[in-house]
């Protein structure tokens, strides 16, 4: 399985807008992350979440190194890594953490993806402001949030490949578990 539980209550602005802070509680996602974690641990697969997600600390998962590479995440056989979706077609770098259980762990493109700056911002405001605002600030229209949140097709295919490699379930003493 591939899981992408809602990230809004786990990220940097989990509490809500900086102009109206603490309108939400940390992790208030209706149990979605916990359910995804349980399902991946029971059936094999991968969870995708924004880098530095507070869910990792909340659920006792080891944070992955920003330089990349798979590292052991917990005592349930989980592995975690830090990857940037900019390597796979996203307009922004979009730093992402993955958590996988019972799957083949592929070599991904590790490290920072290339910086993309808006040529218009560079011309009008100079390098420093263009760097701070990033390319996504200049993506306009009513679909801005959907464009930012979208998973690029190439990265989707990587996630599906990880999930498809999940070991088949075995039954041990009447309990179904991921074969190791």
């Amino acid at each position: 399985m591939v899981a992408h539980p809602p990230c809004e209550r786990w990220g940097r602005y989990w509490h809500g807008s900086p102009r109206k802070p603490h309108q939400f509680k940390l992790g208030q996602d209706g149990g979605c992350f916990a359910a995804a974690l349980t399902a991946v641990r029971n059936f094999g697969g991968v969870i995708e979440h924004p880098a530095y997600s507070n869910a990792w600390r909340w659920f006792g998962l080891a944070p992955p190194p920003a330089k990349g590479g798979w590292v052991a995440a917990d005592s349930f056989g989980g592995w975690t890594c830090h990857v940037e979706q900019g390597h796979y077609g996203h307009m922004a770098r979009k730093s992402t953490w993955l958590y996988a259980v019972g799957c083949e762990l592929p070599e991904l493109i590790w490290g920072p993806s290339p910086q993309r700056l808006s040529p218009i911002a560079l011309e009008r405001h100079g390098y420093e402001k263009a760097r701070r605002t990033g390319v996504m600030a200049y993506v306009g229209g009513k679909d801005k949030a959907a464009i930012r949140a979208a998973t690029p097709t190439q990265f989707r295919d990587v996630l599906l490949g990880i999930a498809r490699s999940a070991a088949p379930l075995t039954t041990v003493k009447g309990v179904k578990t991921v074969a190791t």
Side-chain angles (χ1 to χ4, degrees):
M1 75 171 287
V2 175
H4 187 133
C7 54
E8 291 86 359
R9 301 291 71 91
W10 293 109
R12 183 183 309 173
Y13 297 112
W14 61 264
H15 51 75
S17 165
R19 286 181 260 145
K20 191 177 176 186
H22 303 292
Q23 49 189 324
F24 300 105
K25 292 181 181 173
L26 177 64
Q28 190 177 34
D29 70 352
C32 288
F33 193 93
L37 189 60
T38 299
V40 165
R41 285 174 172 167
N42 287 335
F43 304 112
V46 61
I47 294 175
E48 173 196 358
H49 231 234
Y52 309 101
S53 168
N54 288 299
W56 259 240
R57 185 169 26 97
W58 187 277
F59 289 98
L61 306 175
K67 66 181 179 183
W70 292 97
V71 297
D74 57 22
S75 60
F76 294 93
W79 293 85
T80 188
C81 73
H82 180 125
V83 64
E84 291 194 355
Q85 293 186 40
H87 289 301
Y88 298 90
H90 199 280
M91 292 175 65
R93 288 182 168 161
K94 199 173 181 188
S95 292
T96 302
W97 283 359
L98 302 178
Y99 172 82
V101 178
C103 302
E104 292 177 20
L105 305 174
E107 274 301 309
L108 301 172
I109 304 170
W110 307 119
S113 58
Q115 183 179 39
R116 293 179 181 92
L117 301 175
S118 165
I120 295 168
L122 275 171
E123 184 180 321
R124 289 184 186 165
H125 308 292
Y127 173 77
E128 272 308 309
K129 182 164 182 175
R131 184 194 60 77
R132 278 193 320 273
T133 56
V135 70
M136 292 307 295
Y138 299 94
V139 174
K142 63 181 178 179
D143 298 327
K144 182 183 281 194
I147 292 168
R148 288 179 180 176
T151 299
T153 303
Q154 189 181 359
F155 193 64
R156 176 206 64 195
D157 293 345
V158 167
L159 296 175
L160 290 172
I162 294 170
R164 286 184 182 121
S165 76
L169 295 178
T170 60
T171 303
V172 179
K173 296 182 183 178
V175 177
K176 288 185 179 182
T177 59
V178 175
T180 54

